[in-house]
Amino acid sequence: MVDGPKRRLPIVGGAPPGAAPPGGGTGGPEKRRLPVLQSGGDDEGEERPPWHWIALGTVATFIAWLPLAGLANTLLRRMIERTGDAGAQGSVRLAMVGLNAIAFVLAGVAGGYLVGRFGGRAGRREAAASGAVVAVLAWALALTEGAPAGALVWALLLAVMVAIGGASSYAGGRAGLRARSAGAPRSS
């Protein structure tokens, strides 16, 4: 190693060594400020088109429905384990349909509420559409499982599921719109 004074390498576009810093400041390097990319939060960018909220409501409904259906089916499994006689099987099947329908309704209301509350230009119609899409997807999944039933039964099941999904999501969207208008800042 060389024991001597340290040499500084020249900086392209910089002042020659030993020159006074610009602006009469100290000899340290000039600080550069980076541009701020985020604004104060007033401008959040472009608003999503309403049809995006149908997809978001569909995903939200599925996310809410899966744990609710899991809980309902766990309760039903315990009911089936308790009842060993053949006479109770009819009531267990009725409970199975009822609990799963309640789980579907609650999930539809939750997904519709999300669309209504945060949907921008989306409203009740998009919320109802998201519930109907969930119903069609769930019906198609059940159809691929191959449960034995005729075409008329499957068509009726589709109509009932779309009606339940659309109505519950519509109600959730309506509640979300009311919450949005209640939480909106009032201008004087």
Side-chain angles (χ1 to χ4, degrees):
M1 297 212 89
V2 178
D3 291 331
K6 292 184 181 178
R7 294 187 334 173
R8 296 185 184 255
L9 294 175
I11 298 175
V12 176
T26 62
E30 184 179 334
K31 290 187 178 181
R32 292 179 146 183
R33 304 272 181 199
L34 294 176
V36 178
L37 297 178
Q38 294 179 345
S39 64
D42 296 335
D43 182 25
E44 294 182 10
E46 255 183 67
E47 188 175 309
R48 293 185 187 277
W51 68 269
H52 282 195
W53 287 96
I54 295 172
L56 291 170
T58 300
V59 170
T61 302
F62 265 117
I63 289 173
W65 189 21
L66 290 176
L68 290 172
L71 177 66
N73 289 319
T74 300
L75 293 173
L76 289 169
R77 187 177 333 117
R78 289 184 182 165
M79 285 176 61
I80 290 172
E81 289 171 356
R82 286 186 196 162
T83 60
D85 59 342
Q89 291 300 327
S91 63
V92 169
R93 287 180 190 220
L94 183 62
M96 181 186 314
V97 170
L99 284 176
N100 280 302
I102 289 170
F104 184 55
V105 166
L106 291 175
V109 168
Y113 182 84
L114 175 85
V115 172
R117 177 71 171 95
F118 303 106
R121 291 180 294 159
R124 294 181 295 262
R125 181 178 53 193
E126 288 78 14
S130 70
V133 169
V134 170
V136 169
L137 291 174
W139 175 83
L141 185 63
L143 185 63
T144 60
E145 291 294 319
L152 179 63
V153 172
W154 281 108
L156 288 173
L157 180 63
L158 175 63
V160 168
M161 287 182 70
V162 167
I164 290 172
S168 62
S169 294
Y170 183 89
R174 192 169 160 199
L177 283 171
R178 272 188 264 142
R180 183 190 323 174
S181 65
R186 298 180 186 197
S187 59
S188 298

